[in-house]
Amino acid sequence: GNRSPNLPLRPEDVGVAEILKQAGYRTALIGKWALGELGSTGYPLRKGYDYFFGYFNQTHAHNYYPELLLENHEARLLRGNMGTQRKEYSHDLFTEKALDFLRARDDRPFFLHLAYTIPHANNELGRDTGNGMEVPDYGPYVQTDWPLPEKGFAAMITRMDRDIGRILDTLKQTGQEDNTIVIFTSDNGPHREGGHDPDFFDSNGPLRGIKRDLYEGGIRVPMIVRWPSRIAPGQVSEFVWAFWDFLPTCAELAGVKPPEGLDGISVLQALAGEPGRQREHEYLYWEFHERGFSQAVRLGDWKGVRLDLDKPIELYNLREDPGEQHDVAARHPDIVARIERIMREARTESPHWPVGRARRRAGTQADTGG
């Protein structure tokens, strides 16, 4: 959103890595981190990570050939990227560091947060050249008649696919396959930056909207969980959960208590194939501060979306209408009233996310690049 992009986590903000470190895990963060720069209270090494290799901040993470990356408390010079040279692709370096971490001879359990950035655009390059999908080569797509940004987009995803395969192979080779849970997900729906057209590969499928929308195409993302000793392959779960459930789920897996007063719930029962025993959310709530102040609520199969405070609440039945094409608010005033109450009560007022300022800023969209 439109907050100061470098607003760090505070000392009292407890994250997953802190909880797991206290439970005896060795912890690493590799890739993008936008919750505290070097020297701040939110720097990864102050937030429970034993090891950090990655970008300085969110804007720095747009560049795939940076001259510097951070390693623990030091800036590491990438000599292959000096001047006009472009030799050290950040994603490839992140993969190598992740493999090193997995191969380390250490008897402690581990937590690896691998925050890949592909297929994000290099926004600055995109503005200059019209093609911000920065990748070393177009791989199998070099002969296609696709536009260059689409070749780059596809090549990025193929590269990531290959590297996740290498990670899974390494878990197998090191004897850690059966007792390691691998979770793969994405932070938002498809993007339109860097010359990429989200409709080219129909990236949101039947869903409406893209990144920055609170329609399902912007916020409903893939979530793949691999846990060979507990989860049979090929299963599909309809259970609805969200990123804020990740921390309490990890805490339960590690056998420790999460902090009090969380919005999230552990979804371990759903993961273990016992959805009947799984506690569910009464509702999920989102808000977004670019292009005005938008809010969304999911309440069972109902989804309410309000694009700004002076706009009416739109209502969709996701079971019948996952593409959010038919606004049925007029037919269900009772559900709309419940959703309006949730929109009022679910949020916590914040000086960094004030609703009033969002109203005045409506119509000006800052590209934070997210």
Side-chain angles (χ1 to χ4, degrees):
N2 253 351
R3 65 187 169 93
S4 155
N6 304 325
L7 194 67
L9 292 172
R10 304 164 302 175
E12 64 266 31
D13 296 326
V14 177
V16 175
E18 287 170 274
I19 289 171
L20 293 180
K21 188 178 167 73
Q22 287 162 5
Y25 282 67
R26 65 189 186 100
T27 56
L29 168 64
I30 295 168
K32 177 176 174 177
W33 177 256
L35 297 172
E37 298 197 30
L38 188 61
S40 77
T41 53
Y43 196 63
L45 299 186
R46 289 186 174 162
K47 286 288 142 199
Y49 289 102
D50 298 324
Y51 175 77
F52 169 53
F53 179 76
Y55 287 111
F56 283 74
N57 57 32
Q58 181 139 307
T59 312
H60 187 219
H62 292 178
N63 180 5
Y64 288 98
Y65 292 100
E67 292 185 3
L68 295 168
L69 284 171
L70 288 165
E71 187 160 31
N72 290 333
H73 287 298
E74 319 230 315
R76 187 180 133 191
L77 198 60
L78 303 184
R79 295 192 181 278
N81 296 342
M82 305 301 280
T84 56
Q85 290 188 104
R86 295 286 175 271
K87 288 183 181 164
E88 297 188 78
Y89 192 59
S90 61
H91 169 90
D92 296 350
L93 300 176
F94 297 154
T95 301
E96 293 304 329
K97 291 292 186 185
L99 295 176
D100 289 347
F101 181 78
L102 295 177
R103 291 179 185 129
R105 297 190 179 280
D106 195 312
D107 292 334
R108 291 174 294 166
F110 71 83
F111 172 65
L112 169 61
H113 177 184
L114 179 55
Y116 279 149
T117 52
I118 56 180
H120 201 290
N122 178 335
N123 294 351
E124 291 73 16
L125 184 71
R127 279 193 284 271
D128 292 345
T129 68
N131 178 14
M133 307 313 292
E134 191 175 26
V135 68
D137 60 74
Y138 292 129
Y141 312 106
V142 71
Q143 299 298 332
T144 62
D145 59 358
W146 302 342
L148 286 181
E150 308 308 347
K151 291 187 188 189
F153 181 81
M156 281 179 162
I157 290 175
T158 296
R159 195 178 200 91
M160 178 169 60
D161 199 35
R162 175 200 74 187
D163 290 338
I164 290 169
R166 291 170 65 198
I167 286 163
L168 296 179
D169 289 345
T170 300
L171 288 174
K172 195 170 189 171
Q173 290 153 8
T174 54
Q176 302 177 106
E177 181 180 38
D178 285 343
N179 65 343
T180 301
I181 303 171
V182 179
I183 298 178
F184 176 85
T185 187
S186 168
D187 58 345
N188 48 248
H191 69 75
R192 199 181 286 286
E193 287 103 357
H196 169 58
D197 174 4
D199 293 326
F200 190 83
F201 296 111
D202 190 24
S203 293
N204 57 3
L207 304 180
R208 175 181 180 180
I210 59 170
K211 173 178 172 176
R212 295 193 176 81
D213 290 319
L214 292 182
Y215 296 114
E216 295 292 277
I219 58 174
R220 186 193 288 201
V221 292
M223 157 73 81
I224 304 169
V225 183
R226 185 177 190 274
W227 187 8
S229 63
R230 290 292 294 274
I231 300 177
Q235 294 188 82
V236 176
S237 168
E238 294 289 316
F239 184 75
V240 176
W241 58 304
F243 279 107
W244 42 101
D245 298 325
F246 180 69
L247 183 147
T249 304
C250 285
E252 187 173 357
L253 282 165
V256 293
K257 270 190 137 38
E260 296 287 310
L262 297 180
D263 293 320
I265 54 180
S266 171
V267 298
L268 190 53
Q269 265 72 40
L271 284 180
E274 302 169 16
R277 295 179 53 205
Q278 175 65 56
R279 196 176 129 220
E280 297 185 26
H281 283 281
E282 182 197 344
Y283 63 81
L284 297 177
Y285 170 77
W286 297 266
E287 64 182 56
F288 195 62
H289 290 251
E290 290 179 21
R291 307 181 295 201
F293 173 66
S294 50
Q295 294 173 289
V297 169
R298 177 159 183 166
L299 189 65
D301 290 335
W302 296 110
K303 169 87 177 289
V305 180
R306 179 159 63 184
L307 299 180
D308 208 339
L309 286 176
D310 52 7
K311 299 266 173 46
I313 291 173
E314 305 164 21
L315 183 69
Y316 303 97
N317 182 324
L318 293 181
R319 186 161 297 282
E320 296 168 7
D321 176 28
E324 294 167 295
Q325 298 299 308
H326 309 289
D327 179 357
V328 293
R331 272 183 263 157
H332 300 278
D334 52 329
I335 306 287
V336 173
R338 263 183 84 187
I339 285 175
E340 186 166 31
R341 192 168 68 244
I342 291 169
M343 286 179 173
R344 219 173 27 249
E345 294 171 1
R347 70 180 315 275
T348 305
E349 192 51 59
S350 159
H352 302 291
W353 305 99
V355 176
R357 204 173 81 218
R359 291 301 312 277
R360 286 198 296 279
R361 217 178 29 232
T364 65
Q365 183 192 343
D367 176 18
T368 59

